[in-house]
Amino acid sequence: MNLKKRVELITLGDELLLGLRTNTHLNFLGSHLARRGLAIVRNTVIPDDVKEIERFFPISWNNADIIITTGGLGPTSDDNTRETIAKCLGLELIFDPWIKEKIEERFKPRGITMNNRQLRQCYKLQGAEILANPVGTAPGLYLQHQNKILIMLPGPAHEMKLMFEKEVLPRLVSIGIMDERDSFLQLRTFGIPEGQMEDYLEPVLKDYPEISSAFCVSQGIVDVRLTPANHDYCSKKLRSIGEACAENLGEHFINFGFNPPAQYVLDQLRSMEKTIATAESCTGGLLSSAFTDIPGASKCFVGGVVCYCNDAKIQTLTVPEAIIQQHGAVSEEVAVAMATGAAEHFFSDYGLSITGYAGEGDGSPQNPQGTIYIGYYSPLGAWAQKVVYPGERLAIKQRAVNAALDLIRRKINKFKLAEFLLEEVQ
Amino acid sequence: MNLKKRVELITLGDELLLGLRTNTHLNFLGSHLARRGLAIVRNTVIPDDVKEIERFFPISWNNADIIITTGGLGPTSDDNTRETIAKCLGLELIFDPWIKEKIEERFKPRGITMNNRQLRQCYKLQGAEILANPVGTAPGLYLQHQNKILIMLPGPAHEMKLMFEKEVLPRLVSIGIMDERDSFLQLRTFGIPEGQMEDYLEPVLKDYPEISSAFCVSQGIVDVRLTPANHDYCSKKLRSIGEACAENLGEHFINFGFNPPAQYVLDQLRSMEKTIATAESCTGGLLSSAFTDIPGASKCFVGGVVCYCNDAKIQTLTVPEAIIQQHGAVSEEVAVAMATGAAEHFFSDYGLSITGYAGEGDGSPQNPQGTIYIGYYSPLGAWAQKVVYPGERLAIKQRAVNAALDLIRRKINKFKLAEFLLEEVQ
C-alpha cells in the first residue's frame, strides 16, 4: 500500500445515515484504490448539510493528501457540496460555459430547458479540472491545491463508477500516485480457514522475505494477497511465486484475481461446452441469481427451479415422494434427487442443488438452523455434501450459495478429464 | 428527530475500507435509531489501528453526545478498540470475573480452554456497564462519562444487532433519550415520483401544521414519514391523519410501516388462502429470493422457475415457440405466457413473471437495456406491463423485482372481491 499518501473518502447523503441506502461507494472505491496500491484510511458519512460539511470537511482536508467526495453535486436545494467546499477552501466558483453546453446537449433530445437550479451545476472551483459525466448531468471536479488533491464525484453509483474509471484513474496513474497495474497478486481460495492459511504458504514464502501476505475473508472465500515490498518487482517472478503457493493450496485454490466463484464455474463449463441447471429450496433463487449476475451466463446456464414446498419438488423435479418421506426434505438423498431432476428437466449436462434450513425457527434437532445439503449431478454420477453455518437467514443463504459453487468447481476440476474420456467412449 | 442529541457511529474494520465487506452496521443502527427519534449525524469508518483510533476517536467524542463503536472487541491481535479508547479517555481497564465466567460457560461444551488472548475480553472500562452477548464471546460496554454516553458493540452483525435490541435500546429508552414508540408514522408507497408527492399530501396536511413530512426513496419505493412536532402527540390522531393521506394516495399506497413489498403480497395471499409461483429470465431468481426472505413464505409461495434460454421457456413453462419467434423473448406476450406457465406448472392460483434486458450490451433498438416486461396471471385473467429503468444490471434487477411485486399488489387489491365472487360461482 502507498501509505505515504493518505486517502479519505467523504460520502454525503442523509439516506445513508438513516439506514435507507447501503454505502456501496466505499466498497467500489476502497477495492479499486487498494488494487492499485492506494488505501482509504478513513470514510466519513455526513448529511449533505452546509453546517456538517463546514464542520467536518476541514478535518479531512487537514488529515489526508487525497480527499474524495461523493454526492451533493446535483441541481436540488439539498445539494450543497460544491458551494460549501469552495467556501471552506476560500476558493471562488467560476461559471464554465463548456459544462453548460454539455448539459444542454443532454437535455435537448428530451425537450428539457435548463432552469436556474440546473445552472448551479455549471460552476467549478477556481483552478479545478472538469471530470466529464458520460451518463448524467452533474460533472465532477478535480483540484490540485495546497499540495493536496480534491476529487469530487456525483452520488448516483453508475455515474460515480464510470467517472472514476474513465477520468480519475488515468489522472492518478499519470502523476504516479496510483500503480499502473495491480500492486498485489490475489489468490482466491475456498475451504482453508484463515487461521491455517500460513501452514500452506510458509513453505513457499519463507524464501521470499520481500513478499508479504494478507488474508481477506468473505462468506467462506479467503483471498490471499501477495504484495512485494518494491513497486517495481518483476511481475513474472511474483506470478511464479503465486503459482508455487497455488500448488501448495491444492484443490482449495480457485483462481488468480477477483472473479466471483460463479464466473469461474461458468468459464469452466464454457471451455467444456457444457450446460448447467439449478434447483433450490432455502436459498430461494440466490444461486441462479449468482449465475445470472455474470455477463454471458446464458451460454452455459440454462435455468433453475425454486421449489419451496415438497409438492413442487415432487412435481417439477420428479423427486420421488418416498425419498422425501423417508429421509426428509432436508437430506443428502433429496439434494441428489433435486440436482438430478434439475439436469433432466432442463436437459443440461450438470445439475446443482441446495436444500436446507436457513430461517430462524426452521430446522429439527438433527438438522438445526444453518444445516444445508448441496447436491451435484454430472454425467459421471451424483454426490451430496452437508455443511452447517451459523448466523442469520441472509448470511446462511449467501454462504450456502458459495459452498454450492465451490462443490461443483472441485468436482469439475477433478473429473474434467474423466468426463471428456467418457464422452469419447460413448 | 431528537436533534438535541448528536449521535456518531464509529465503525472499525480494515475490510470495510478495502471494499471487501459492506457497512451494514450503518443501515441497521441508522434505521433503528431514526425510528425512535435519534439520528446518526456522522459515521466514521477507520481501521482497527491504535494510531487511527487515537487520531479520530477524540474528534467524535468532542462532537457528539452519544458515541457508538462497532468492532474491535475480539481476542485477536488486531482488536485494539477497548484498550485504545480507555487510553483516549484516561480510564483504567478493570478485570471483570463475571465476563470470564460467561466466556468459560460458552467454551466448556466445546472443550475449549481460555487463552491469554481470550482473557483480554474480560476487561471493562472503569465505570462501564457490561452489555451481555447472547450469541458470542465479546461483551459490549456502556459508559456514561463526562455527560456523554459511549456504547461499544462487537463487529459480527448478528451479535451487534441482538445486543443493540436487548441491551442498548431498553437503556436509552429508560433514560428518555430514545422514544418508547416510533417517533413517526411511515406510509410506504409505489408509483408516485418523489417530486409529485406533495400534491397528494398537501390537501390533508395543510390543516395540521404541527406534522412535518419527509420522503425516502429506494428502488422505486417512496416512503412518506409523518413526524409530529411534539413527542407526546396523540398516536390515534396521527394515525387518522395518516389514513386520510393514504386515501388521497389511492392505490399507490401500500401499507403503514416497514414491511418489504414481498411481505405485503404474501400477507394478502395468505388472507385469501391463495398461492403464487414465479417465472423469471433477466432477474435470474431475485424475485423468488425476495419471497423466500420472508419468514413463513412457504405457506403461499410454491416455487419459481428461472428460464435463461428460450428452450427452457418453451419446455418448462410451455411458452409456445411461435410466440417467442413472432414477438421476441422480451415482449408482453411472452411475459403473459411465462406467468401463466408458472401458475400451471406449480398448480398455483397466481403467477408472476419478469422478462427483460438488464445487462450491459443486452437489448435491441426497440427494447434497449433496462426494458422489462412484467407478466401476471390470476384466476380472472392475465396482463402484462412494460417498464424501463436506467442504471446498472444489479439496480435494474432490483427495480424490476419491486415493480413486479407492485403490479401484483395492485391487481390483487383491485380484483380481490371479484375473484372471491368468481370462486363462489364456480
Side-chain angles (χ1 to χ4, degrees), chain A residues 215-239:
Chain A
F215 312 128
C216 307
V217 186
S218 170
Q219 307 285 15
I221 299 166
V222 180
D223 290 327
V224 178
R225 296 184 165 188
L226 302 179
T227 311
N230 184 338
H231 277 222
D232 303 325
Y233 200 79
C234 170
S235 62
K236 271 191 189 164
K237 190 174 171 194
L238 182 61
R239 181 76 183 204

PDB file of all heavy atoms in Angstrom, chain A residues 215-239:
ATOM      1  N   PHE A 215      -4.698 -11.697   4.321  1.00  0.00           N
ATOM      2  CA  PHE A 215      -5.875 -12.516   4.023  1.00  0.00           C
ATOM      3  C   PHE A 215      -7.144 -11.693   4.178  1.00  0.00           C
ATOM      4  O   PHE A 215      -7.272 -10.908   5.103  1.00  0.00           O
ATOM      5  CB  PHE A 215      -5.949 -13.720   4.974  1.00  0.00           C
ATOM      6  CG  PHE A 215      -4.649 -14.445   5.099  1.00  0.00           C
ATOM      7  CD1 PHE A 215      -4.106 -14.712   6.342  1.00  0.00           C
ATOM      8  CD2 PHE A 215      -3.944 -14.837   3.964  1.00  0.00           C
ATOM      9  CE1 PHE A 215      -2.896 -15.368   6.461  1.00  0.00           C
ATOM     10  CE2 PHE A 215      -2.731 -15.477   4.061  1.00  0.00           C
ATOM     11  CZ  PHE A 215      -2.204 -15.752   5.319  1.00  0.00           C
ATOM     12  N   CYS A 216      -8.074 -11.891   3.261  1.00  0.00           N
ATOM     13  CA  CYS A 216      -9.375 -11.228   3.345  1.00  0.00           C
ATOM     14  C   CYS A 216     -10.454 -12.300   3.255  1.00  0.00           C
ATOM     15  O   CYS A 216     -10.456 -13.093   2.317  1.00  0.00           O
ATOM     16  CB  CYS A 216      -9.566 -10.259   2.192  1.00  0.00           C
ATOM     17  SG  CYS A 216      -8.222  -9.103   2.023  1.00  0.00           S
ATOM     18  N   VAL A 217     -11.330 -12.320   4.241  1.00  0.00           N
ATOM     19  CA  VAL A 217     -12.334 -13.381   4.344  1.00  0.00           C
ATOM     20  C   VAL A 217     -13.716 -12.815   4.042  1.00  0.00           C
ATOM     21  O   VAL A 217     -14.060 -11.739   4.523  1.00  0.00           O
ATOM     22  CB  VAL A 217     -12.340 -13.959   5.778  1.00  0.00           C
ATOM     23  CG1 VAL A 217     -13.278 -15.153   5.860  1.00  0.00           C
ATOM     24  CG2 VAL A 217     -10.941 -14.348   6.193  1.00  0.00           C
ATOM     25  N   SER A 218     -14.499 -13.522   3.223  1.00  0.00           N
ATOM     26  CA  SER A 218     -15.854 -13.072   2.949  1.00  0.00           C
ATOM     27  C   SER A 218     -16.738 -14.258   2.575  1.00  0.00           C
ATOM     28  O   SER A 218     -16.550 -14.869   1.528  1.00  0.00           O
ATOM     29  CB  SER A 218     -15.825 -12.042   1.815  1.00  0.00           C
ATOM     30  OG  SER A 218     -17.130 -11.775   1.383  1.00  0.00           O
ATOM     31  N   GLN A 219     -17.702 -14.597   3.421  1.00  0.00           N
ATOM     32  CA  GLN A 219     -18.690 -15.659   3.166  1.00  0.00           C
ATOM     33  C   GLN A 219     -18.045 -16.958   2.682  1.00  0.00           C
ATOM     34  O   GLN A 219     -18.478 -17.522   1.682  1.00  0.00           O
ATOM     35  CB  GLN A 219     -19.735 -15.186   2.143  1.00  0.00           C
ATOM     36  CG  GLN A 219     -20.407 -13.883   2.476  1.00  0.00           C
ATOM     37  CD  GLN A 219     -21.435 -14.006   3.574  1.00  0.00           C
ATOM     38  OE1 GLN A 219     -21.467 -15.003   4.295  1.00  0.00           O
ATOM     39  NE2 GLN A 219     -22.263 -13.014   3.754  1.00  0.00           N
ATOM     40  N   GLY A 220     -17.001 -17.395   3.372  1.00  0.00           N
ATOM     41  CA  GLY A 220     -16.375 -18.669   3.037  1.00  0.00           C
ATOM     42  C   GLY A 220     -15.191 -18.544   2.096  1.00  0.00           C
ATOM     43  O   GLY A 220     -14.341 -19.431   2.041  1.00  0.00           O
ATOM     44  N   ILE A 221     -15.121 -17.461   1.341  1.00  0.00           N
ATOM     45  CA  ILE A 221     -13.995 -17.244   0.436  1.00  0.00           C
ATOM     46  C   ILE A 221     -12.863 -16.585   1.213  1.00  0.00           C
ATOM     47  O   ILE A 221     -13.084 -15.628   1.949  1.00  0.00           O
ATOM     48  CB  ILE A 221     -14.424 -16.324  -0.740  1.00  0.00           C
ATOM     49  CG1 ILE A 221     -15.540 -16.982  -1.535  1.00  0.00           C
ATOM     50  CG2 ILE A 221     -13.235 -15.979  -1.627  1.00  0.00           C
ATOM     51  CD1 ILE A 221     -16.258 -16.039  -2.474  1.00  0.00           C
ATOM     52  N   VAL A 222     -11.634 -17.124   1.067  1.00  0.00           N
ATOM     53  CA  VAL A 222     -10.465 -16.472   1.672  1.00  0.00           C
ATOM     54  C   VAL A 222      -9.528 -16.039   0.545  1.00  0.00           C
ATOM     55  O   VAL A 222      -9.034 -16.873  -0.213  1.00  0.00           O
ATOM     56  CB  VAL A 222      -9.726 -17.411   2.654  1.00  0.00           C
ATOM     57  CG1 VAL A 222      -8.524 -16.687   3.264  1.00  0.00           C
ATOM     58  CG2 VAL A 222     -10.661 -17.883   3.758  1.00  0.00           C
ATOM     59  N   ASP A 223      -9.322 -14.736   0.407  1.00  0.00           N
ATOM     60  CA  ASP A 223      -8.396 -14.207  -0.596  1.00  0.00           C
ATOM     61  C   ASP A 223      -7.023 -14.003   0.037  1.00  0.00           C
ATOM     62  O   ASP A 223      -6.918 -13.430   1.113  1.00  0.00           O
ATOM     63  CB  ASP A 223      -8.903 -12.871  -1.149  1.00  0.00           C
ATOM     64  CG  ASP A 223     -10.130 -13.033  -2.027  1.00  0.00           C
ATOM     65  OD1 ASP A 223     -10.213 -14.079  -2.703  1.00  0.00           O
ATOM     66  OD2 ASP A 223     -10.989 -12.139  -2.026  1.00  0.00           O
ATOM     67  N   VAL A 224      -6.008 -14.504  -0.653  1.00  0.00           N
ATOM     68  CA  VAL A 224      -4.623 -14.305  -0.210  1.00  0.00           C
ATOM     69  C   VAL A 224      -4.017 -13.239  -1.105  1.00  0.00           C
ATOM     70  O   VAL A 224      -4.067 -13.351  -2.336  1.00  0.00           O
ATOM     71  CB  VAL A 224      -3.809 -15.606  -0.353  1.00  0.00           C
ATOM     72  CG1 VAL A 224      -2.358 -15.373   0.070  1.00  0.00           C
ATOM     73  CG2 VAL A 224      -4.448 -16.728   0.455  1.00  0.00           C
ATOM     74  N   ARG A 225      -3.467 -12.202  -0.514  1.00  0.00           N
ATOM     75  CA  ARG A 225      -2.861 -11.135  -1.308  1.00  0.00           C
ATOM     76  C   ARG A 225      -1.361 -11.124  -1.072  1.00  0.00           C
ATOM     77  O   ARG A 225      -0.907 -10.915   0.052  1.00  0.00           O
ATOM     78  CB  ARG A 225      -3.465  -9.785  -0.931  1.00  0.00           C
ATOM     79  CG  ARG A 225      -4.932  -9.734  -1.255  1.00  0.00           C
ATOM     80  CD  ARG A 225      -5.549  -8.387  -0.984  1.00  0.00           C
ATOM     81  NE  ARG A 225      -6.847  -8.345  -1.659  1.00  0.00           N
ATOM     82  CZ  ARG A 225      -7.595  -7.266  -1.760  1.00  0.00           C
ATOM     83  NH1 ARG A 225      -7.189  -6.123  -1.248  1.00  0.00           N
ATOM     84  NH2 ARG A 225      -8.753  -7.307  -2.394  1.00  0.00           N
ATOM     85  N   LEU A 226      -0.592 -11.338  -2.134  1.00  0.00           N
ATOM     86  CA  LEU A 226       0.862 -11.327  -2.060  1.00  0.00           C
ATOM     87  C   LEU A 226       1.353  -9.967  -2.565  1.00  0.00           C
ATOM     88  O   LEU A 226       1.156  -9.626  -3.731  1.00  0.00           O
ATOM     89  CB  LEU A 226       1.456 -12.443  -2.911  1.00  0.00           C
ATOM     90  CG  LEU A 226       1.002 -13.873  -2.569  1.00  0.00           C
ATOM     91  CD1 LEU A 226       1.655 -14.873  -3.522  1.00  0.00           C
ATOM     92  CD2 LEU A 226       1.327 -14.215  -1.113  1.00  0.00           C
ATOM     93  N   THR A 227       1.975  -9.207  -1.677  1.00  0.00           N
ATOM     94  CA  THR A 227       2.414  -7.859  -2.033  1.00  0.00           C
ATOM     95  C   THR A 227       3.929  -7.752  -1.933  1.00  0.00           C
ATOM     96  O   THR A 227       4.495  -7.990  -0.864  1.00  0.00           O
ATOM     97  CB  THR A 227       1.760  -6.820  -1.096  1.00  0.00           C
ATOM     98  OG1 THR A 227       0.357  -7.070  -1.033  1.00  0.00           O
ATOM     99  CG2 THR A 227       2.021  -5.404  -1.580  1.00  0.00           C
ATOM    100  N   PRO A 228       4.602  -7.420  -3.036  1.00  0.00           N
ATOM    101  CA  PRO A 228       6.048  -7.227  -2.956  1.00  0.00           C
ATOM    102  C   PRO A 228       6.384  -5.902  -2.278  1.00  0.00           C
ATOM    103  O   PRO A 228       5.623  -4.939  -2.402  1.00  0.00           O
ATOM    104  CB  PRO A 228       6.493  -7.209  -4.429  1.00  0.00           C
ATOM    105  CG  PRO A 228       5.251  -7.129  -5.242  1.00  0.00           C
ATOM    106  CD  PRO A 228       4.048  -7.181  -4.364  1.00  0.00           C
ATOM    107  N   ALA A 229       7.522  -5.873  -1.586  1.00  0.00           N
ATOM    108  CA  ALA A 229       7.926  -4.656  -0.884  1.00  0.00           C
ATOM    109  C   ALA A 229       8.171  -3.523  -1.873  1.00  0.00           C
ATOM    110  O   ALA A 229       7.926  -2.356  -1.573  1.00  0.00           O
ATOM    111  CB  ALA A 229       9.181  -4.924  -0.054  1.00  0.00           C
ATOM    112  N   ASN A 230       8.639  -3.883  -3.051  1.00  0.00           N
ATOM    113  CA  ASN A 230       9.045  -2.887  -4.036  1.00  0.00           C
ATOM    114  C   ASN A 230       8.017  -2.810  -5.178  1.00  0.00           C
ATOM    115  O   ASN A 230       7.641  -3.839  -5.738  1.00  0.00           O
ATOM    116  CB  ASN A 230      10.429  -3.315  -4.578  1.00  0.00           C
ATOM    117  CG  ASN A 230      10.993  -2.296  -5.532  1.00  0.00           C
ATOM    118  OD1 ASN A 230      10.261  -1.489  -6.114  1.00  0.00           O
ATOM    119  ND2 ASN A 230      12.305  -2.335  -5.691  1.00  0.00           N
ATOM    120  N   HIS A 231       7.583  -1.600  -5.528  1.00  0.00           N
ATOM    121  CA  HIS A 231       6.572  -1.437  -6.584  1.00  0.00           C
ATOM    122  C   HIS A 231       7.035  -1.961  -7.943  1.00  0.00           C
ATOM    123  O   HIS A 231       6.226  -2.322  -8.777  1.00  0.00           O
ATOM    124  CB  HIS A 231       6.198   0.051  -6.739  1.00  0.00           C
ATOM    125  CG  HIS A 231       5.181   0.478  -5.759  1.00  0.00           C
ATOM    126  ND1 HIS A 231       4.124   1.283  -6.063  1.00  0.00           N
ATOM    127  CD2 HIS A 231       5.042   0.174  -4.447  1.00  0.00           C
ATOM    128  CE1 HIS A 231       3.391   1.475  -4.998  1.00  0.00           C
ATOM    129  NE2 HIS A 231       3.933   0.824  -3.995  1.00  0.00           N
ATOM    130  N   ASP A 232       8.371  -1.940  -8.171  1.00  0.00           N
ATOM    131  CA  ASP A 232       8.881  -2.339  -9.489  1.00  0.00           C
ATOM    132  C   ASP A 232       9.229  -3.824  -9.550  1.00  0.00           C
ATOM    133  O   ASP A 232       9.928  -4.263 -10.454  1.00  0.00           O
ATOM    134  CB  ASP A 232      10.136  -1.505  -9.834  1.00  0.00           C
ATOM    135  CG  ASP A 232       9.822  -0.033  -9.781  1.00  0.00           C
ATOM    136  OD1 ASP A 232       8.689   0.327 -10.140  1.00  0.00           O
ATOM    137  OD2 ASP A 232      10.695   0.734  -9.348  1.00  0.00           O
ATOM    138  N   TYR A 233       8.763  -4.584  -8.571  1.00  0.00           N
ATOM    139  CA  TYR A 233       9.055  -6.020  -8.507  1.00  0.00           C
ATOM    140  C   TYR A 233       8.658  -6.694  -9.818  1.00  0.00           C
ATOM    141  O   TYR A 233       7.614  -6.375 -10.412  1.00  0.00           O
ATOM    142  CB  TYR A 233       8.259  -6.615  -7.354  1.00  0.00           C
ATOM    143  CG  TYR A 233       8.789  -7.945  -6.837  1.00  0.00           C
ATOM    144  CD1 TYR A 233       9.890  -7.990  -5.993  1.00  0.00           C
ATOM    145  CD2 TYR A 233       8.170  -9.143  -7.181  1.00  0.00           C
ATOM    146  CE1 TYR A 233      10.363  -9.192  -5.500  1.00  0.00           C
ATOM    147  CE2 TYR A 233       8.635 -10.361  -6.694  1.00  0.00           C
ATOM    148  CZ  TYR A 233       9.729 -10.361  -5.851  1.00  0.00           C
ATOM    149  OH  TYR A 233      10.194 -11.556  -5.362  1.00  0.00           O
ATOM    150  N   CYS A 234       9.471  -7.630 -10.247  1.00  0.00           N
ATOM    151  CA  CYS A 234       9.223  -8.321 -11.519  1.00  0.00           C
ATOM    152  C   CYS A 234       7.893  -9.084 -11.458  1.00  0.00           C
ATOM    153  O   CYS A 234       7.686  -9.944 -10.607  1.00  0.00           O
ATOM    154  CB  CYS A 234      10.369  -9.291 -11.813  1.00  0.00           C
ATOM    155  SG  CYS A 234       9.992 -10.384 -13.202  1.00  0.00           S
ATOM    156  N   SER A 235       6.980  -8.763 -12.349  1.00  0.00           N
ATOM    157  CA  SER A 235       5.636  -9.362 -12.260  1.00  0.00           C
ATOM    158  C   SER A 235       5.669 -10.848 -12.618  1.00  0.00           C
ATOM    159  O   SER A 235       4.867 -11.629 -12.119  1.00  0.00           O
ATOM    160  CB  SER A 235       4.650  -8.606 -13.150  1.00  0.00           C
ATOM    161  OG  SER A 235       5.051  -8.689 -14.496  1.00  0.00           O
ATOM    162  N   LYS A 236       6.633 -11.238 -13.491  1.00  0.00           N
ATOM    163  CA  LYS A 236       6.755 -12.668 -13.809  1.00  0.00           C
ATOM    164  C   LYS A 236       7.177 -13.456 -12.578  1.00  0.00           C
ATOM    165  O   LYS A 236       6.688 -14.556 -12.323  1.00  0.00           O
ATOM    166  CB  LYS A 236       7.802 -12.865 -14.912  1.00  0.00           C
ATOM    167  CG  LYS A 236       7.225 -12.799 -16.307  1.00  0.00           C
ATOM    168  CD  LYS A 236       8.242 -13.271 -17.327  1.00  0.00           C
ATOM    169  CE  LYS A 236       7.758 -13.000 -18.732  1.00  0.00           C
ATOM    170  NZ  LYS A 236       8.836 -13.087 -19.717  1.00  0.00           N
ATOM    171  N   LYS A 237       8.130 -12.869 -11.809  1.00  0.00           N
ATOM    172  CA  LYS A 237       8.614 -13.564 -10.613  1.00  0.00           C
ATOM    173  C   LYS A 237       7.478 -13.670  -9.579  1.00  0.00           C
ATOM    174  O   LYS A 237       7.270 -14.733  -8.985  1.00  0.00           O
ATOM    175  CB  LYS A 237       9.808 -12.802 -10.019  1.00  0.00           C
ATOM    176  CG  LYS A 237      10.527 -13.564  -8.926  1.00  0.00           C
ATOM    177  CD  LYS A 237      11.780 -12.860  -8.459  1.00  0.00           C
ATOM    178  CE  LYS A 237      12.342 -13.556  -7.221  1.00  0.00           C
ATOM    179  NZ  LYS A 237      13.350 -12.718  -6.549  1.00  0.00           N
ATOM    180  N   LEU A 238       6.719 -12.581  -9.406  1.00  0.00           N
ATOM    181  CA  LEU A 238       5.600 -12.612  -8.453  1.00  0.00           C
ATOM    182  C   LEU A 238       4.598 -13.690  -8.862  1.00  0.00           C
ATOM    183  O   LEU A 238       4.096 -14.447  -8.022  1.00  0.00           O
ATOM    184  CB  LEU A 238       4.923 -11.235  -8.399  1.00  0.00           C
ATOM    185  CG  LEU A 238       3.753 -11.098  -7.416  1.00  0.00           C
ATOM    186  CD1 LEU A 238       4.202 -11.347  -5.988  1.00  0.00           C
ATOM    187  CD2 LEU A 238       3.102  -9.710  -7.517  1.00  0.00           C
ATOM    188  N   ARG A 239       4.337 -13.763 -10.148  1.00  0.00           N
ATOM    189  CA  ARG A 239       3.389 -14.760 -10.642  1.00  0.00           C
ATOM    190  C   ARG A 239       3.891 -16.177 -10.355  1.00  0.00           C
ATOM    191  O   ARG A 239       3.109 -17.046  -9.942  1.00  0.00           O
ATOM    192  CB  ARG A 239       3.185 -14.558 -12.148  1.00  0.00           C
ATOM    193  CG  ARG A 239       2.208 -15.522 -12.802  1.00  0.00           C
ATOM    194  CD  ARG A 239       0.782 -15.160 -12.477  1.00  0.00           C
ATOM    195  NE  ARG A 239      -0.159 -16.123 -13.037  1.00  0.00           N
ATOM    196  CZ  ARG A 239      -1.420 -15.865 -13.316  1.00  0.00           C
ATOM    197  NH1 ARG A 239      -1.930 -14.674 -13.071  1.00  0.00           N
ATOM    198  NH2 ARG A 239      -2.209 -16.788 -13.815  1.00  0.00           N
TER     199      ARG A 239
END
